[in-house]
Amino acid sequence: MSRPATFTPPPGTRAHRLRTARGDFAALTGEPAEGPVRGTALLLPGFTGSKEDFIELHAPLSAAGYRTVAVDGRGQYESEGPKDDERPYRQRELARDALAQAAALQDEGTGRVHLLGHSLGGLVARAAVIEDPAPFASLTLMSSGPAAVAQPQQERAKLLQDALAALDMAQVWEAIQGLDAPEDAADLRGDGEDLRRRWMRNSPAQLIATAGQLRTEPDRVDELAALGLAIHVLSGERDDTWPVPLLDDMAARLGAERTVVAGAEHSPNTDRPRATAAALAAFWDRHPAA
């Protein structure tokens, strides 16, 4: 999970509901203030995260000519989802949500969509592209690796699953403050009321199901490489969830473009948003949606 500096949308960014054939999803959309729109990007957040994780990317990407649509996934923060049924949060269901979101954007008149997934969102984005690459001009995997997370993170994700199965969300929040939680969940520690509010609005079933995906994800790199889609692997210079050398190897296997953002860790989108936005815009410029 990223820890955004603010939950207040910047000027030029609007909060709305993205209506799709699979239901409505909470979204933040940034629009270029002037000039032609060079493309539209759909941004999928990571485990325990939300659309606000990308909040500092909207302005620089809008300035570069890109429309950016960040969404809460099903059962994440302001997007509704069942609290006690894990079936809607199976990875294939989440991938189909992403495909429906892309289709809704295309119905608004955009061309093919640049898809970006951060961490868990990268696994969902990969599954969506493997199911149907046609709607997408490119795929960016941000701090998202080839298979399951590193072993220490698997163990921590299992602890969180067990806690969510036994305790209510408020009790788990309090427990996280004093525990060595998964890296994605470790940023929940702190007194920020926005972070607590976001945590409390997540579906426990969604968190349990997606924690399981982080622990058990198979290697699908060869499937993805076979599609021939333009792919960008972007990360910070340090990452304990998927170590950087593993991301380097994945990029080589994919024949992907590779960006390492200096001074960033697992969340370059919040650690170094302007450098991250510049790398994204440069990649999208090289692979126009048309």
Side-chain angles (χ1 to χ4, degrees):
M1 184 204 67
S2 305
R3 185 169 186 164
T6 179
F7 277 62
T8 302
T13 302
R14 63 187 176 96
H16 64 106
R17 309 293 294 181
L18 179 62
R19 300 187 182 281
T20 82
R22 290 175 62 87
D24 295 353
F25 296 86
L28 288 175
T29 293
E31 302 274 4
E34 57 185 25
V37 177
R38 299 177 62 84
T40 295
L42 175 62
L43 314 179
L44 309 183
F47 183 62
T48 73
S50 70
K51 59 191 179 303
E52 286 75 16
D53 295 347
F54 304 109
I55 210 161
E56 292 184 274
L57 297 182
H58 291 293
L61 288 173
S62 294
Y66 287 95
R67 180 189 186 208
T68 47
V69 183
V71 296
D72 290 338
R74 187 178 302 277
Q76 270 188 326
Y77 190 30
E78 294 180 324
S79 289
E80 290 76 19
K83 297 185 180 301
D84 55 3
D85 183 357
E86 296 178 35
R87 290 173 296 179
Y89 308 116
R90 292 170 180 166
Q91 189 182 87
R92 191 174 189 188
E93 296 302 315
L94 299 179
R96 288 176 172 175
D97 287 344
L99 288 167
Q101 292 156 9
L105 295 176
Q106 290 182 311
D107 287 345
E108 295 175 2
T110 187
R112 290 184 301 152
V113 174
H114 295 291
L115 181 61
L116 179 150
H118 172 239
S119 193
L120 172 75
L123 302 183
V124 173
R126 179 174 73 174
V129 167
I130 289 173
E131 178 144 337
D132 183 5
F136 303 110
S138 73
L139 171 65
T140 296
L141 301 173
M142 179 187 287
S143 305
S144 186
V149 295
Q151 185 62 37
Q153 301 301 329
Q154 292 183 38
E155 295 168 0
R156 293 168 183 175
K158 179 62 164 62
L159 287 174
L160 187 60
Q161 282 181 298
D162 291 345
L164 288 164
L167 305 172
D168 65 31
M169 291 292 285
Q171 291 170 321
V172 175
W173 171 265
E174 295 303 323
I176 286 172
Q177 306 311 300
L179 292 177
D180 186 18
E183 179 169 313
D184 273 354
D187 283 338
L188 293 168
R189 290 195 294 265
D191 297 327
E193 186 55 36
D194 286 331
L195 294 177
R196 186 181 189 280
R197 184 177 68 252
R198 174 168 70 177
W199 168 262
M200 293 298 298
R201 293 190 66 173
N202 277 297
S203 159
Q206 179 264 127
L207 293 171
I208 291 170
T210 53
Q213 292 169 30
L214 290 171
R215 295 174 53 224
T216 62
E217 177 73 7
D219 188 318
R220 305 189 69 186
V221 172
D222 290 345
E223 289 179 77
L224 184 58
L227 300 176
L229 185 69
I231 299 174
H232 186 196
V233 176
L234 185 149
S235 74
E237 61 184 357
R238 189 184 77 82
D239 197 315
D240 292 336
T241 302
W242 285 281
V244 169
L246 190 66
L247 299 175
D248 293 339
D249 178 70
M250 180 181 73
R253 292 172 61 195
L254 289 168
E257 298 189 30
R258 180 76 174 103
T259 297
V260 177
V261 179
E265 298 189 11
H266 186 61
S267 297
N269 44 315
T270 56
D271 295 341
R272 295 291 184 270
R274 292 203 168 267
T276 299
L280 292 172
F283 172 67
W284 294 336
D285 285 348
R286 290 190 291 273
H287 302 281

